Amino acid sequence: MLSSARPRGYVWRRALIVVGMTYVILGGFLLPFPRVDNILGQTHRNLFFHVPMWFTLMAAMGVSAFWAFKYLRTRDPLADVRSVEAARVGLLFGVLGLLTGMMWARFTWYQGTGKWWNNDPKQAMAAVQMLIYAAYFVLRSAFDDETRRARIAAAYNLFAVTTVPFLLYVLPRQMASLHPGAEGNPAFSEITHPLMRAVLYPSFLCFIGLFWLLYTQRVRLAWVQRRLHPDPLAL
Amino acid sequence: MTWWRSAWAVLEKDLRLEWRSRLAFNTMLVFALATVLLVWFALGTQPVVPSVQAALLWVVLLFAAALGLGRAFVQEEERGTLLFLRLNAAPLGVYVGKLLFNAALVLVLGGVACVAYVIVLGVQVEWIGLFVLVLTLGALGLAAATTLLAALIARASHSGALLPVLLFPLLVPLLLSGVRLTRHALEGGLGWSGTTDGLVTLTTYPLALVAASVLLFDYVWYD
């Protein structure tokens, strides 16, 4: 059972994440990385923000599906709250990742073509994932009864997970990717300078940490609101 | 009652009820035929390349199916027979019966709609065998994806508009492989080797959806 008191060690974990994010933002924008004289220019700095956002989306998907599974097993209302909030925060990171990716692609890969949306499998995968979460929230709003809503939403959440391996199999066979590591493209580690990795790897941890901060805060907020307003329609 | 006997009983009951009113089938059929005619009016006399023909055919089928297949559980809720079914039949049997009913419905609908589409738009099908195979597998995939979703939305408010919203994101793997293979069937000239990827997806995806549905159906079925 979740208490409204602050969990132990929360303050220093939050401080660590704030300091880490500050380092990532300052380092990502200011450190003198070797300049690559091709179409990238200075845009490679987007790497420190765009890529961790995707990792966070994937982590959030996993967390949301895990708590959906726990909900069906235990019928604990807190598991449902966790599943929803992970999906909500994950959706936020997904939209940000999609926007940063679109900007980046528009001014590098598609420079001069004026294209904002293109046939990239990773982009398509993300778009489908956003659509599934949007449908998940629409489905939730269609139920007034709280336990039924939680049960049905958890079942849809897990049912939607079935698509993921198939999308990973089908999409790369239908569209060519320009992302690193795709067929014929150099792997990620071959094209990044050691100095860049010194920012990128902490950035992964910090973005996951930021997700954890927002997610736990939202869960506690939702849980407190639930106890203040037992009326299911007030949530 | 063992589950296969309940499945058979549910299928028989649904077929009989559907035969009496023909509501779901007629809705889907008229919708599909009207959409085919609309596509024909919209395209006019312009020649259309096979990739566009394949895409339009699948879009017509998806929308028609999303319209009618959600009825499976909603009608039980409307008639107040949900509780009766819950008491008398094994959950697996109910799921399998509804799945078979939906599959039968969408297979007949797909057959009629495809024939109408091919005739009205003057589509040349070079490789009929693949065309029939792909659309059959696609129809089964549609039934596999919609049956559990129909059970999810049975007691939701505004269940009519809800099914397409839930269904379309889940159909992306099916649609991608289906449209590509349909294009091959329309163009012809490509051996079986070029179709392996698509056929693997079209056969395994419905199976995975059915497996996931069977695992989740108990949680959806009982309050």
Side-chain angles (χ1 to χ4, degrees):
Chain A
M1 187 55 71
L2 191 77
S3 79
S4 49
R6 192 176 266 168
R8 280 171 69 91
Y10 184 82
V11 173
W12 68 260
R13 264 180 273 174
R14 185 180 58 187
L16 202 67
I17 291 162
V18 168
V19 171
M21 279 310 281
T22 314
Y23 163 71
V24 167
I25 291 171
L26 290 179
F29 280 113
L30 298 178
L31 280 178
F33 301 112
R35 176 148 183 152
V36 196
D37 272 328
N38 59 16
I39 198 166
L40 272 179
Q42 289 290 341
T43 65
H44 63 286
R45 294 178 189 276
N46 195 6
L47 181 77
F48 310 122
F49 308 103
H50 172 65
V51 182
M53 281 169 192
W54 282 134
F55 274 63
T56 313
L57 170 68
M58 297 299 155
M61 273 167 54
V63 172
S64 183
F66 171 77
W67 285 109
F69 176 74
K70 288 287 266 195
Y71 178 79
L72 289 183
R73 275 301 171 85
T74 61
R75 303 294 161 106
D76 175 9
L78 182 59
D80 179 54
V81 169
R82 286 190 190 282
S83 183
V84 183
E85 297 305 335
R88 205 191 300 274
V89 181
L91 193 59
L92 171 73
F93 278 91
V95 169
L96 290 175
L98 199 61
L99 287 177
T100 49
M102 278 168 74
M103 301 260 282
W104 202 2
R106 166 69 182 77
F107 295 105
T108 53
W109 298 342
Y110 299 100
Q111 180 69 49
T113 62
K115 275 162 77 176
W116 285 95
W117 191 263
N118 52 76
N119 295 322
D120 190 86
K122 290 194 164 64
Q123 185 178 354
M125 173 99 194
V128 173
Q129 205 60 48
M130 306 282 103
L131 217 54
I132 286 176
Y133 277 142
Y136 172 79
F137 285 110
V138 171
L139 179 66
R140 292 188 72 88
S141 62
F143 289 92
D144 290 339
D145 180 70
E146 203 173 328
T147 53
R148 183 175 297 151
R149 174 176 55 203
R151 187 166 49 84
I152 298 291
Y156 183 68
N157 197 330
L158 289 174
F159 193 53
V161 171
T162 323
T163 52
V164 173
F166 286 92
L167 287 174
L168 291 175
Y169 176 81
V170 176
L171 286 174
R173 284 169 176 72
Q174 303 261 338
M175 340 169 154
S177 180
L178 290 168
H179 276 96
E183 206 172 326
N185 296 346
F188 204 64
S189 52
E190 292 169 30
I191 51 174
T192 42
H193 190 264
L195 189 58
M196 290 179 79
R197 275 178 249 168
V199 179
L200 183 62
Y201 293 152
S203 176
F204 284 133
L205 292 177
C206 287
F207 267 88
I208 298 276
L210 186 64
F211 164 75
W212 176 82
L213 268 186
L214 293 173
Y215 160 71
T216 46
Q217 287 293 313
R218 295 238 23 142
V219 168
R220 286 169 65 199
L221 180 66
W223 192 247
V224 169
Q225 274 175 349
R226 232 182 103 94
R227 292 173 71 181
L228 286 176
H229 310 284
D231 175 15
L233 290 175
L235 262 180
Chain B
M1 238 192 312
T2 47
W3 68 266
W4 64 87
R5 290 184 58 185
S6 358
W8 183 250
V10 168
L11 175 64
E12 208 180 352
K13 170 196 80 82
D14 274 352
L15 285 175
R16 188 169 294 160
L17 282 178
E18 184 58 36
W19 182 252
R20 281 185 197 149
S21 73
R22 287 183 284 270
L23 175 62
F25 183 71
N26 283 347
T27 314
M28 286 175 10
L29 189 66
V30 174
F31 179 88
L33 293 179
T35 321
V36 168
L37 279 180
L38 281 182
V39 168
W40 174 63
F41 284 130
L43 291 176
T45 49
Q46 299 295 318
V48 183
V49 290
S51 56
V52 178
Q53 289 173 341
L56 286 173
L57 173 61
W58 274 81
V59 170
V60 170
L61 286 180
L62 293 195
F63 275 85
L67 202 68
L69 293 185
R71 298 278 313 154
F73 287 92
V74 176
Q75 68 178 11
E76 304 283 354
E77 172 70 17
E78 282 171 358
R79 294 191 177 122
T81 47
L82 211 58
L83 185 64
F84 175 77
L85 208 57
R86 207 176 276 155
L87 287 173
N88 286 288
L92 184 60
V94 176
Y95 173 73
V96 174
K98 295 283 184 190
L99 177 68
L100 293 176
F101 173 69
N102 272 349
L105 209 57
V106 78
L107 274 176
V108 178
L109 165 86
V112 179
C114 283
V115 170
Y117 187 86
V118 167
I119 291 172
V120 170
L121 293 178
V123 176
Q124 291 287 319
V125 186
E126 296 291 332
W127 189 359
I128 298 222
L130 183 69
F131 188 71
V132 173
L133 178 66
V134 167
L135 288 162
T136 310
L137 289 173
L140 294 177
L142 273 175
T146 39
T147 307
L148 184 82
L149 296 181
L152 287 182
I153 61 164
R155 302 172 93 169
S157 41
H158 312 297
S159 56
L162 206 49
L163 186 68
V165 171
L166 300 180
L167 178 64
F168 290 159
L170 301 185
L171 286 181
V172 173
L174 201 71
L175 181 77
L176 281 170
S177 317
V179 169
R180 167 168 273 209
L181 287 181
T182 310
R183 203 187 73 218
H184 286 325
L186 296 181
E187 285 170 341
L190 194 92
W192 285 107
S193 58
T195 63
T196 324
D197 277 348
L199 285 179
V200 165
T201 312
L202 275 186
T203 43
T204 50
Y205 189 57
L207 289 177
L209 286 177
V210 169
S213 304
V214 167
L215 289 174
L216 289 169
F217 190 71
D218 275 9
Y219 297 109
V220 177
W221 189 232
Y222 291 115
D223 268 323

